[in-house]
Amino acid sequence: MTTVNIISLNKMYPNQPAPVLKDFSLSVMDGEMVALLGPSGMGKSTLLKLITGIERPDSGDIQFDGSSILGIEPNKRGAVLMFQKSYLFPFLNVEDNISFGLRVQGASSQTIRAEVKRMLDLISLPGIEKRKVGQLSGGEGQRVALARALVTNPKLLLLDEPLSNLDTEVRMNLQEVIRVIQRELGVTTIFVTHDLGEAMAMSDRMALLLNGEIVALDKPENLFHRPRSLAAARFMGVSTFLNGDKLTVKKEASAGASEKTFAIRPEHIRIQIEACKNSMQGVVSDCVFRGEYVEYQVAVGEMSVRARMPMPAPMFPHGEQVYVKFPSEHLFEVEN
Amino acid sequence: MKRIASYALRVILYIILVAPLLLFIAYAFSTRWFFPQPFPTEWTLTTFQRAMDDARTLSSMAQGIWIAILVSLLSLILALPAARVLGLRKFRGRQLAWLLLFLPTVIPPLAIGMGLNILFLRIGLAGTIAGVVLAHIIPTLPYTIFTLSSAFARFDENYEFQALALGASPWHIFFKVTLRMLAPSLIVATLFAFLISWSQYLLTLLIGGGQVITLPILLFSAASGGNPSTIAVLSLLFIAPPVLVIAATARQLNQHGNQIRELY
């Protein structure tokens, strides 16, 4: 049961112009799962390396329960890793893989057998102790890797895109498995991903990472509905931003230059034939049927507006004159 | 038609490879095999027995095997760190490092041997087993490094990170994870080193200076003596250890190969 504090971490690699991590701070509460979301190469994996001790930060501190772990050897920190690939040792069977950490600690063979059985029950793969690693499917491999990581009661579980190599169905299933086990054991977890849906489905809080800095940190639902900054909004799939002052926006959206910027989620924008309040005229440039919804691209003056309307929704031919409505109750202000 | 051709070619290749061996066997285990007879008429073990009774034969074999084992171990120990860096890292001067490490394969061993001889005479290593072992490492090292570095190039360090995060000490990781994962290539590299050292004539002669007698030395002197039966016996003894070693490891090599194929 561990609270993790990451304080003003800085990390720069010798041959790179910009630092990978810039004054990076993050607190993870005991038993909490925090997702780090960001494009690849944004310092996410570096952070995990610093926490496990494979690399050292240039400055800053990492604390478990208030005391620094930077002076502790990597193999004594109690931070375990789960990667995209399972990295199960191919020369050991499932049981010996799961018990690797226990054996290193010198656990008795009785404890080992009992613990391996408990973990296998937990990951819903009972009775596969003697199976060879090569005989496991991708999803099974990741479950066993999870069991191997958690069997030693680690202080912190680090997940580095553990599901991105799996088929959609297996991935959905494993998201749930990991989430349930993480809650049940109450292990503090940092989860690195570039998949927005996965981050929202699994985490208690979500940190959006850009250029080595956290641009937003909040509960997934808050970030989704009301991202505070432009960068955060972009992350969360918002692509329509309008400038204007609040009163005129409320009455009539305009793309004119002004101090304030408002954003709206694509699923809140309405495309219609008739003009009405808060609407602007545009020309349909694309209209895609996606099954559960229709996606539109509409050119409004210089701006290209992306909108989504749930089925049933009208299909418009390319070049059709339409009105794009921005319902005022869904417009929210973002910092530039 | 194509199949017959490939079959014929294979048979011809086998004949080319096996014929000298058969000839050795014929010479080694026969007496009085003279020109018009196509095959030996009298088979005997006496030549073989005589060669084995000669104390120099067994002692030279034992010495050769010891030297080869020492050479394989030392060149593995020396090759591992170099191979790891060459296989896993990209750094300035990597090409130069490759070139330097591979120089022994292109520089004539006679040149190396002469130079080493002078040096070893000065520091008192000439004519000693230690000196011969050190000299043998020169031609073996490029092969062990090459074999192991291509193994490291396929190796994923994340296995080591996993073990580290799970609490294993660096030594534990090295012996129980890294070496285990590299085992097939380690066996191949050891074999290379063993065989190169075992069959080394020139460096043994130059550095050993007649003090260190291995089987190739004995074989060469017998060859200049000109008794075909003795030559044949010594040649068979010369071939035996490599064949035995390869036969003993073939099954494991094959198994490891299958394991690797399963993995990827």
Side-chain angles (χ1 to χ4, degrees), chain B residues 210-230:
Chain B
Q211 312 281 321
V212 181
I213 309 285
T214 58
L215 200 54
I217 306 271
L218 218 56
L219 182 59
F220 264 82
S221 71
S224 53
N227 180 345
S229 294
T230 318

Side-chain angles (χ1 to χ4, degrees), chain A residues 49 52 54 74-75 79-83 85-92 100-101 104 134 148-149 152, chain B residues 156 158-170 172-173 176-178 180-181 259 262-264:
Chain A
K49 282 182 182 169
T52 48
I54 292 161
N75 56 342
V80 292
L81 273 166
M82 192 175 153
F83 292 109
K85 258 181 75 183
S86 64
Y87 290 109
L88 295 171
F89 304 120
F91 46 86
L92 298 176
F100 185 90
V104 168
R148 177 177 67 172
T152 50
Chain B
D156 195 329
N158 281 329
Y159 284 105
E160 293 175 345
F161 294 159
Q162 275 292 358
L164 190 72
L166 290 168
S169 67
H172 188 98
I173 295 170
K176 296 283 175 68
V177 177
T178 316
R180 282 289 286 275
M181 304 251 338
Q259 235 174 45
E262 252 172 50
L263 262 179
Y264 295 101

Side-chain angles (χ1 to χ4, degrees), chain A residues 165-304:
Chain A
N165 263 359
L166 303 169
D167 301 337
T168 316
E169 200 183 325
V170 183
R171 191 160 67 210
M172 293 300 182
N173 179 283
L174 260 179
Q175 284 179 3
E176 213 177 300
V177 170
I178 293 179
R179 190 62 177 130
V180 167
I181 292 175
Q182 187 265 338
R183 283 225 179 101
E184 190 169 323
L185 300 181
V187 56
T188 312
T189 306
I190 296 179
F191 174 45
V192 158
T193 180
H194 63 259
D195 185 325
L196 175 64
E198 202 164 278
M200 289 197 295
M202 292 177 69
S203 62
D204 297 308
R205 282 189 301 152
M206 228 162 81
L208 307 183
L209 209 62
L210 206 62
N211 300 323
E213 286 176 296
I214 292 181
V215 293
L217 172 66
D218 208 338
K219 288 184 177 164
E221 55 266 37
N222 294 350
L223 278 181
F224 188 80
H225 290 302
R226 288 289 179 266
R228 294 232 190 85
S229 68
L230 197 78
R234 282 228 167 83
F235 246 113
M236 305 303 294
V238 177
S239 57
T240 307
F241 301 95
L242 304 159
N243 294 319
D245 75 63
K246 193 145 195 165
L247 285 171
T248 57
V249 167
K250 283 233 162 146
K251 283 186 187 127
E252 184 179 81
S254 77
S258 178
E259 286 139 89
K260 286 179 179 167
T261 303
F262 292 86
I264 182 165
R265 294 204 57 82
E267 58 270 25
H268 292 146
I269 300 172
R270 290 287 158 265
I271 309 293
Q272 54 200 39
I273 303 289
E274 320 84 42
C276 70
K277 228 169 102 181
N278 277 348
S279 72
M280 293 164 85
Q281 201 178 26
V283 180
V284 174
S285 56
D286 200 8
C287 177
V288 183
F289 176 70
R290 298 266 190 201
E292 287 162 24
Y293 58 89
V294 179
E295 191 162 280
Y296 307 90
Q297 287 283 352
V298 182
V300 179
E302 296 280 286
M303 187 170 58
S304 177

Side-chain angles (χ1 to χ4, degrees), chain A residues 12-218:
Chain A
M12 192 162 171
Y13 288 115
N15 296 323
Q16 284 176 1
V20 194
L21 291 175
K22 225 166 30 194
D23 209 25
F24 182 95
S25 295
L26 175 69
S27 288
V28 186
M29 285 179 290
D30 181 19
E32 188 184 30
M33 183 185 283
V34 170
L36 290 181
L37 184 72
S40 323
M42 282 299 167
K44 292 173 295 175
S45 299
T46 303
L47 180 69
L48 299 192
K49 282 182 182 169
L50 294 179
I51 296 175
T52 48
I54 292 161
E55 284 179 22
R56 295 193 63 82
D58 300 335
S59 66
D61 199 7
I62 302 168
Q63 299 175 342
F64 285 3
D65 287 329
S67 54
S68 173
I69 58 156
L70 289 183
I72 300 175
E73 293 290 310
N75 56 342
K76 302 272 193 298
R77 289 189 179 183
V80 292
L81 273 166
M82 192 175 153
F83 292 109
Q84 209 172 83
K85 258 181 75 183
S86 64
Y87 290 109
L88 295 171
F89 304 120
F91 46 86
L92 298 176
N93 64 18
V94 168
E95 180 176 29
D96 292 338
N97 260 291
I98 294 179
S99 62
F100 185 90
L102 292 175
R103 274 175 214 280
V104 168
Q105 291 172 358
S108 72
S109 57
Q110 225 173 346
T111 322
I112 286 175
R113 225 171 301 128
E115 283 295 300
V116 169
K117 192 179 176 311
R118 185 175 72 92
M119 292 315 297
L120 284 178
D121 287 342
L122 202 60
I123 59 170
S124 319
L125 289 173
I128 63 160
E129 279 95 341
K130 301 298 171 206
R131 193 120 27 114
K132 278 185 187 166
V133 167
Q135 295 167 337
L136 300 173
S137 71
E140 287 169 340
Q142 285 301 60
R143 284 177 193 229
V144 173
L146 182 69
R148 177 177 67 172
L150 291 176
V151 75
T152 50
N153 272 327
K155 291 183 177 150
L156 176 64
L157 172 65
L158 301 166
L159 304 172
D160 190 356
E161 311 215 358
L163 306 175
S164 52
N165 263 359
L166 303 169
D167 301 337
T168 316
E169 200 183 325
V170 183
R171 191 160 67 210
M172 293 300 182
N173 179 283
L174 260 179
Q175 284 179 3
E176 213 177 300
V177 170
I178 293 179
R179 190 62 177 130
V180 167
I181 292 175
Q182 187 265 338
R183 283 225 179 101
E184 190 169 323
L185 300 181
V187 56
T188 312
T189 306
I190 296 179
F191 174 45
V192 158
T193 180
H194 63 259
D195 185 325
L196 175 64
E198 202 164 278
M200 289 197 295
M202 292 177 69
S203 62
D204 297 308
R205 282 189 301 152
M206 228 162 81
L208 307 183
L209 209 62
L210 206 62
N211 300 323
E213 286 176 296
I214 292 181
V215 293
L217 172 66
D218 208 338

